[in-house]
Amino acid sequence: MIDELKGLESNLEGKLFYDALWRRIFATDASVYRTVPLAVAYPKTVEDLKKLISFATKNNTSLIPRTAGTSLAGQCVGEGIVVDVSKYFTGIIELNTGKRTIKVQPGVIRDDLNRYLKSHNLFFGPNTSTSNRCMIGGMVGNNSSGTTSIKYGVTRDKVLEMKVLLSDGSEAVFSEITSEELREKMQLDSMEGDIYRKLYQELKSEDVRQQIISGFPKPEIHRRNTGYAVDELISAEVLGGEEEKINICKLLCGSEGTLALTTEITLQLDELPPKDAVMIAAHFDSVEKCLQAVVPAMRHSLFTCEMMDKVILDCTKNSIKYRENRFFIEGDPAAILMLEIRSASEEELTDRTADLLKTLSDSNLAYALPVLRNETIELALELRKAGLGLLGNIVGDRKAVACIEDTAVAVEDLAAYISEFSDLMKDYGQEAVYYAHAGAGELHLRPILNLKKEPDVALFRKITEDVASLVKKYGGSMSGEHGDGRVRAEFIEFMIGEENYNLLKRVKNIFDPENIFNPGKIIDAPAMDESLRYEPGRREPEIDTLMDFTDSLGILRGAENCNGSGDCRKPSEAGGTMCPSYRATRNEKDTTRARANALREFLTHSDKPNRFDHEELKEVLDLCISCKGCKSECPSNVDMAAYKAEFQYQYNRANEASLRSKAFAFNAALNKKTSGISPFSNFMFSNSLTSGILKRTMGIAPQRSLPPLSRQTLSSYYRKNQRKVETPIKTVYLFNDEFTNYLDSEVGMAAIKLLNGLNYEVKIIEHPESGRGFISKGFLKEAKEVANKNIQIFKDIISPESPLLGLEPSAILTFRDEYLRLADDKAAAERVSKNVFLLEEFFKKEVIAGNITADSFTSEKKRIKLHGHCHQKALSGVENTFVMLNLPQNFEVTVIPSGCCGMAGSFGYEKEHYEVSMQIGEQTLFPAVRKASEGTVIAAPGTSCRHQIQDGTGKKALHPVVIMAEALK
């Protein structure tokens, strides 16, 4: 098949990959399944899609459509060619504001679409928890719903027209048509005509109609995705229903890419909801009481009715990103019901809020009813949205498993259904997870199982079988919005009956007689407990590491924490940092998820003595810039920067590090040697001839400027200018990191000036470098030695009263991050980490304490744009710097909503990374800096960031401490 794939590759305008790395990256989605595909295609044009269809037909293989790959039921897993349309099929084609419709390609991200529509006062209603990266094609494939379905309906309700490629390669456009137009379509001499003719023949009988009505879920359950939606088609008048027109799009929605390949989708839009909103976050001491409150609450006109249970809430306690969003939680609730009301009238909003509060109070079910308004509502909803990813925080092999997580029943049946469900779980010794869409009769219920163990795999099946029986008892749907996929497809026949299931098989055959479109989903699926991500009963490898990964029970389990939710695929417009390289390339290979998948795959399946010694791992980690965005933004806390450092160390044991890597790793030592001759060194760095030779020798991008050495080191300055402060407020220690000491000594001097001027005594003592260069290049033995020395030096010196302050985020924050994995004296490292701060953090604390006031600073007006360092964002927070810069009376500070600058230490200097580095900078940072008005000061605490801003925009950025030192009276 390799020769055939090579031929296909040469004929595509897009890309085709069939090497081991790409195939393994795409072997999983967000489900529990794993199947290594034949190849991965990034089609660029409709002609590419036609060629893929032809290839699949001729070579007896299949096509697995994929967008963001966040499917929970295994829809994106298969043996054929994965067809990823997320990179090139991303166009917004046509907006009709009069009709409130929009035509898009399937790779358009839902939130991107709504950002585009906002200025037109329109939006696309269905709102999944993955809305910042899920794509319209995937939403159509799954018939997604989300938090707003009780107000705006599901995706199927919004799809007006679909342009598709059929299994013979022909194009067809499906839309709403009358009975007369249907008869005309049935006369077509084409596959489209065949589809209309055969579907009509299958569904025209009143017996078939009654068979469907009696076998399918209750029609009042608007979240129902059981098999193909023939129950929607029979609502058409021509098939015995009451609706005047028929639309095959209703059948294609929820078909999981098994019937056709979609190229264009026309959607019905809604007007933006009223801006003013109130959310009542009702707290309950039991899940049962929470569910009893749903029906009376739903009598009010709610926009959202969402639930979180204690398991989800407890996961948020350990999430760096989401623990701040717990501000509204009172006590230790067993469940919270989030009820949102909106109105264009403040008076009406107040009245409706009072009515809802009265209903809840009269029920005597909730013990607390905090009321949230406007901006704070989004923070609370983000907490609920993070539910799926946060479940990955459960340490160890037991995980909250998706199998029965998508059941939906009528709202009136929900409390009784969950009561029986809970009894069922108790019989299995299970404490299930309850969260999501209570107002729609759907909770994402998950048993906690270890699918590496055969008994739990058996339980995986048994629980699903029993729940299927329970759902059928209530006339519900096993698949509400996540689809049937692999995990629930085998139960469709049980749920709807043999005759209805055979009807669905015939529908599949009408559209796809050669079975090339996503086989094994919905129809003729393999058993739900086959092809799992982990092989039950297999002895999992123990991976020895230099860094301490006991917090995740080892590096392998750390990588396994990635459950595929794909938060790392959100674009720069969605905010945050993760994942910079993916944002530049839009290749799945460059996501945190792909890196975690690759680590899991190669560490688990390697037959090498050194399991890290794989070129594929080197390739997948190459563009990881160790920004630490995933450490704080990944709901599963996948710490890819740490994993990469460990990989580099282990890989270098089998493959000697390059001269360039050594030079960057030992950069502090080199700078120390040349600092005494800084004028000569700087001449060599800046002269075009000598710097060019140096860059070529070291593999540095020729476009880069090389950072000059400071004329005087900070150590030298401090020795000569050490000042005793009389009756200081506090004595602080300043960490003289290798960047500040040799490259940015003026920043250190400014820090001393600032702190002394505010009546703080500053001490600098002899200590090693931070080890950041060693860590970034995988020289972990050297980093460990540095960490141990620094911990020993500072453990008995610093305290809450005399903390250690730092200026360069990537250096000082190693005390709070990597040192905890490297240090031998764990207890001492932990103690030290609690008394180490960025200077801005310390400044903010002292402002709050009243020790620093605006009186010490100028009243001069100044506009400042602030770009935060990635490590600062992940481990500290830009708000500390924002508060500091805002203290002077007339300073006007705005935070640039940028992710990573793109330099990332040595990454941006390396010639092969230069282009990606600049692409990252161009996403948000460079345009914001260029647009800054004349006289605006650009602030950036990171030395790499300041250098990147200089190279990318020609503007000089200042460390915030320099700005504040200059602002002293």
Side-chain angles (χ1 to χ4, degrees):
M1 184 66 83
I2 293 295
D3 289 339
E4 288 84 354
L5 289 171
K6 286 180 178 178
L8 176 62
E9 179 184 16
S10 66
N11 284 325
L12 295 178
E13 286 189 50
K15 298 289 185 181
L16 186 74
F17 302 95
Y18 41 90
D19 59 273
L21 174 60
W22 279 84
R23 292 172 62 221
R24 292 197 189 188
I25 285 171
F26 281 81
T28 54
D29 50 13
S31 72
V32 298
Y33 297 100
R34 174 184 181 269
T35 302
V36 179
L38 175 67
V40 176
Y42 277 119
K44 202 169 188 177
T45 63
V46 172
E47 286 304 310
D48 277 354
L49 291 174
K50 290 180 179 179
K51 290 173 183 176
L52 287 165
I53 290 172
S54 175
F55 180 89
T57 303
K58 290 177 182 176
N59 292 278
N60 193 31
T61 188
S62 60
L63 305 177
I64 303 105
R66 174 171 167 140
T67 51
T70 58
S71 302
L72 292 166
Q75 292 95 318
C76 298
V77 173
E79 294 178 346
I81 300 173
V82 175
V83 182
D84 190 331
V85 298
S86 67
K87 183 169 183 176
Y88 295 117
F89 281 77
T90 58
I92 294 176
I93 300 168
E94 181 183 0
L95 171 64
N96 187 321
T97 54
K99 293 182 178 180
R100 294 190 305 194
T101 64
I102 194 162
K103 183 181 292 186
V104 300
Q105 290 183 310
V108 171
I109 294 172
R110 186 268 184 189
D111 283 0
D112 282 355
L113 174 62
N114 280 347
R115 272 187 285 273
Y116 171 82
L117 292 169
K118 188 175 181 180
S119 63
H120 302 282
N121 198 41
L122 298 170
F123 85 123
F124 176 60
N127 181 24
T128 66
S129 64
T130 57
S131 64
N132 62 8
R133 69 266 190 199
C134 79
M135 297 174 178
I136 299 301
M139 294 183 74
V140 171
N142 281 346
N143 186 30
S144 298
S145 306
T147 59
T148 58
S149 67
I150 59 174
K151 193 71 175 179
Y152 294 105
V154 301
T155 299
R156 180 178 287 130
D157 302 324
K158 304 299 181 184
V159 176
L160 302 177
E161 181 179 286
M162 294 174 65
K163 189 173 184 180
V164 302
L165 292 178
L166 301 175
S167 60
D168 67 346
S170 63
E171 294 187 31
V173 177
F174 293 109
S175 61
E176 194 174 61
I177 56 175
T178 63
S179 300
E180 180 60 34
E181 289 169 327
L182 172 63
R183 281 189 282 272
E184 292 175 6
K185 290 281 188 182
M186 288 166 56
Q187 300 305 311
L188 294 174
D189 184 19
S190 63
M191 189 168 195
E192 181 185 0
D194 282 345
I195 289 170
Y196 279 111
R197 283 190 293 275
K198 292 176 181 178
L199 282 178
Y200 178 75
Q201 288 300 319
E202 288 287 353
L203 300 175
K204 68 178 181 178
S205 161
E206 179 61 23
D207 289 344
V208 170
R209 174 181 170 78
Q210 292 305 317
Q211 167 193 304
I212 292 170
I213 291 172
S214 63
F216 271 67
K218 293 179 180 179
E220 61 264 34
I221 303 170
H222 70 273
R223 291 166 174 265
R224 60 187 198 281
N225 263 358
T226 301
Y228 298 125
V230 291
D231 56 331
E232 288 281 352
L233 289 187
I234 62 170
S235 63
E237 189 178 68
V238 70
L239 295 175
E242 297 180 354
E243 294 183 8
E244 183 182 343
K245 297 181 179 181
I246 187 170
N247 193 340
I248 301 300
C249 294
K250 292 187 180 297
L251 187 71
L252 294 174
C253 281
S255 65
E256 303 177 10
T258 62
L259 302 181
L261 287 183
T262 304
T263 60
E264 295 177 9
I265 304 158
T266 301
L267 302 169
Q268 184 67 62
L269 306 172
D270 289 286
E271 289 186 357
L272 283 172
K275 289 183 179 179
D276 291 326
V278 163
M279 174 175 283
I280 299 170
H283 289 43
F284 302 87
D285 56 22
S286 73
V287 170
E288 290 74 21
K289 288 181 179 179
C290 178
L291 295 175
Q292 288 169 27
V294 171
V295 171
M298 283 295 293
R299 296 189 186 114
H300 298 259
S301 182
L302 300 178
F303 278 70
T304 299
C305 180
E306 296 288 298
M307 175 188 166
M308 289 187 292
D309 77 348
K310 179 175 168 56
V311 177
I312 294 287
L313 290 168
D314 285 350
C315 284
T316 66
K317 292 178 181 178
N318 300 318
S319 169
I320 295 173
K321 179 178 180 181
Y322 293 106
R323 62 190 175 205
E324 299 288 333
N325 295 34
R326 292 174 50 89
F327 64 93
F328 65 95
I329 296 175
E330 300 179 20
D332 188 23
I336 289 179
L337 197 61
M338 307 167 79
L339 308 167
E340 185 182 12
I341 303 170
R342 288 179 176 266
S343 176
S345 161
E346 182 64 36
E347 182 179 350
E348 183 184 34
L349 185 62
T350 300
D351 291 344
R352 288 171 59 190
T353 302
D355 289 345
L356 180 55
L357 283 169
K358 185 177 186 305
T359 296
L360 294 169
S361 297
D362 290 348
S363 71
N364 290 316
L365 295 169
Y367 74 80
L369 297 169
V371 178
L372 312 180
R373 288 184 175 271
N374 296 327
E375 295 82 7
T376 59
I377 292 173
E378 191 57 38
L379 296 176
L381 285 174
E382 284 298 320
L383 203 65
R384 211 299 290 155
K385 276 189 170 187
L388 165 63
L390 288 169
L391 291 174
N393 280 339
I394 301 174
V395 176
D397 292 333
R398 298 182 74 240
K399 301 293 182 186
V401 174
C403 55
I404 54 170
E405 90 295 344
D406 202 29
T407 60
V409 297
V411 175
E412 295 75 15
D413 296 331
L414 183 61
Y417 165 69
I418 293 299
S419 177
E420 288 197 58
F421 174 86
S422 298
D423 290 341
L424 187 64
M425 291 298 101
K426 287 175 185 175
D427 291 342
Y428 285 116
Q430 280 284 322
E431 182 183 350
V433 181
Y434 304 79
Y435 74 102
H437 319 294
E442 178 180 21
L443 292 183
H444 294 327
L445 312 161
R446 291 175 179 240
I448 299 175
L449 301 169
N450 178 4
L451 294 185
K452 294 179 180 179
K453 302 295 183 183
E454 291 172 342
D456 275 21
V457 172
L459 202 56
F460 174 58
R461 166 172 286 282
K462 183 60 178 164
I463 287 173
T464 307
E465 290 173 345
D466 288 350
V467 170
S469 297
L470 183 61
V471 172
K472 186 172 183 178
K473 171 184 173 181
Y474 283 94
S477 175
M478 277 290 280
S479 303
E481 63 173 339
H482 295 164
D484 296 312
R486 292 274 294 270
V487 73
R488 286 176 285 273
E490 73 163 278
F491 298 96
I492 294 175
E493 183 173 357
F494 169 76
M495 297 300 295
I496 64 174
E498 182 181 2
E499 289 182 331
N500 280 326
Y501 183 69
N502 287 333
L503 170 62
L504 300 191
K505 292 176 74 171
R506 294 194 296 274
V507 169
K508 165 69 171 174
N509 190 63
I510 290 169
F511 278 87
D512 185 22
E514 300 297 326
N515 201 27
I516 64 169
F517 289 143
N518 213 9
K521 320 303 187 313
I522 300 180
I523 296 303
D524 296 326
M528 67 167 295
D529 44 10
E530 292 180 6
S531 301
L532 297 175
R533 186 177 289 206
Y534 305 106
E535 184 180 321
R538 178 182 64 199
R539 183 176 178 180
E540 299 295 321
E542 294 294 329
I543 311 295
D544 292 328
T545 57
L546 186 143
M547 297 179 89
D548 182 356
F549 293 103
T550 54
D551 57 340
S552 60
L553 303 184
I555 190 171
L556 179 56
R557 284 186 174 89
E560 290 173 353
N561 273 346
C562 173
N563 56 18
S565 62
D567 297 69
C568 45
R569 286 181 59 99
K570 66 182 188 294
S572 56
E573 293 81 3
T577 300
M578 181 178 70
C579 177
S581 51
Y582 169 73
R583 290 175 171 183
T585 69
R586 294 299 175 101
N587 287 328
E588 173 70 18
K589 177 181 72 70
D590 301 317
T591 62
T592 306
R593 175 172 69 181
R595 293 164 187 143
N597 282 342
L599 281 168
R600 186 193 70 244
E601 285 283 330
F602 287 95
L603 293 182
T604 299
H605 300 288
S606 175
D607 57 2
K608 293 189 174 186
N610 180 346
R611 290 175 179 264
F612 293 91
D613 185 18
H614 287 275
E615 286 298 315
E616 291 89 349
L617 288 178
K618 183 181 180 184
E619 180 184 348
V620 79
L621 288 164
D622 179 53
L623 293 187
C624 170
I625 60 179
S626 301
C627 66
K628 299 186 187 293
C630 50
K631 186 176 177 70
S632 61
E633 295 176 30
C634 171
S636 302
N637 288 352
V638 171
D639 188 359
M640 193 52 63
Y643 304 161
K644 180 176 181 178
E646 184 67 42
F647 160 75
Q648 288 177 307
Y649 166 70
Q650 299 289 349
Y651 184 84
N652 288 346
R653 293 174 65 194
N655 307 272
E656 186 178 357
S658 68
L659 176 63
R660 183 180 68 187
S661 290
K662 292 176 182 177
F664 281 124
F666 290 89
N667 186 252
L670 294 172
N671 286 339
K672 183 177 181 179
K673 289 181 179 180
T674 56
S675 62
I677 52 170
S678 59
F680 174 75
S681 299
N682 291 339
F683 171 79
M684 298 291 287
F685 291 165
S686 60
N687 179 273
S688 60
L689 177 62
T690 52
S691 68
I693 294 171
L694 181 61
K695 291 173 188 177
R696 286 192 296 274
T697 303
M698 301 303 295
I700 294 173
Q703 303 93 327
R704 285 291 181 196
S705 60
L706 297 175
L709 291 166
S710 297
R711 289 188 172 273
Q712 183 181 21
T713 65
L714 182 60
S715 297
S716 173
Y717 170 84
Y718 179 74
R719 284 194 299 269
K720 295 174 183 177
N721 297 277
Q722 187 173 357
R723 174 186 160 195
K724 181 73 175 175
V725 177
E726 298 299 329
T727 62
I729 299 171
K730 286 181 181 176
T731 297
V732 299
Y733 290 86
L734 186 64
F735 188 70
N736 187 16
D737 67 79
E738 58 271 32
F739 307 102
T740 305
N741 193 30
Y742 299 118
L743 302 174
D744 296 307
S745 62
E746 73 280 359
V747 176
M749 297 173 194
I752 295 170
K753 176 186 175 183
L754 176 64
L755 291 167
N756 285 166
L758 295 171
N759 204 30
Y760 294 88
E761 184 170 3
V762 180
K763 290 187 176 182
I764 297 178
I765 63 174
E766 287 295 320
H767 61 76
E769 60 176 286
S770 71
R772 170 53 56 202
F774 292 140
I775 294 167
S776 71
K777 291 301 177 185
F779 287 75
L780 294 187
K781 284 187 176 179
E782 291 81 357
K784 185 179 184 70
E785 182 180 351
V786 165
N788 283 330
K789 286 180 179 178
N790 277 324
I791 294 299
Q792 290 304 309
I793 288 169
F794 289 107
K795 69 175 184 177
D796 297 322
I797 297 176
I798 64 172
S799 66
E801 293 72 33
S802 296
L804 178 63
L805 308 184
L807 298 167
E808 169 56 39
S810 66
I812 191 64
L813 292 174
T814 54
F815 281 89
R816 288 171 22 193
D817 190 20
E818 289 93 349
Y819 282 15
L820 301 178
R821 297 192 187 278
L822 289 167
D824 291 326
D825 190 340
K826 302 295 183 188
E830 190 70 36
R831 286 197 313 273
V832 167
S833 72
K834 296 184 185 306
N835 295 305
V836 174
F837 304 98
L838 281 166
L839 190 147
E840 297 99 304
E841 291 177 297
F842 173 77
F843 192 101
K844 179 184 174 184
K845 289 174 183 288
E846 293 301 288
V847 169
I848 293 171
N851 294 330
I852 300 176
T853 66
D855 295 340
S856 299
F857 296 93
T858 181
S859 58
E860 174 192 352
K861 289 186 177 181
K862 187 167 287 188
R863 288 188 305 273
I864 302 169
K865 283 188 174 290
L866 169 63
H867 165 71
H869 188 282
C870 290
H871 293 190
Q872 176 189 23
K873 293 170 187 173
L875 302 168
S876 167
V878 180
E879 65 273 11
N880 299 298
T881 309
F882 178 78
V883 168
M884 182 180 79
L885 288 172
N886 257 312
L887 186 63
Q889 187 176 353
N890 292 313
F891 276 21
E892 180 186 323
V893 187
T894 56
V895 177
I896 299 172
S898 51
C900 181
C901 72
M903 182 66 89
S906 64
F907 178 87
Y909 288 99
E910 295 163 350
K911 64 179 182 181
E912 69 273 23
H913 297 147
Y914 174 79
E915 184 177 345
V916 170
S917 170
M918 300 308 281
Q919 285 176 337
I920 293 170
E922 289 290 355
Q923 289 166 1
T924 307
L925 177 59
F926 293 171
V929 171
R930 294 188 191 110
K931 289 177 184 176
S933 58
E934 188 176 350
T936 298
V937 177
I938 307 299
T943 184
S944 293
C945 304
R946 295 193 296 275
H947 201 133
Q948 176 78 327
I949 290 168
Q950 177 71 50
D951 282 358
T953 69
K955 293 191 178 182
K956 182 178 181 180
L958 300 177
H959 194 291
V961 167
V962 172
I963 298 171
M964 293 303 289
E966 292 175 351
L968 280 171
K969 284 183 177 177

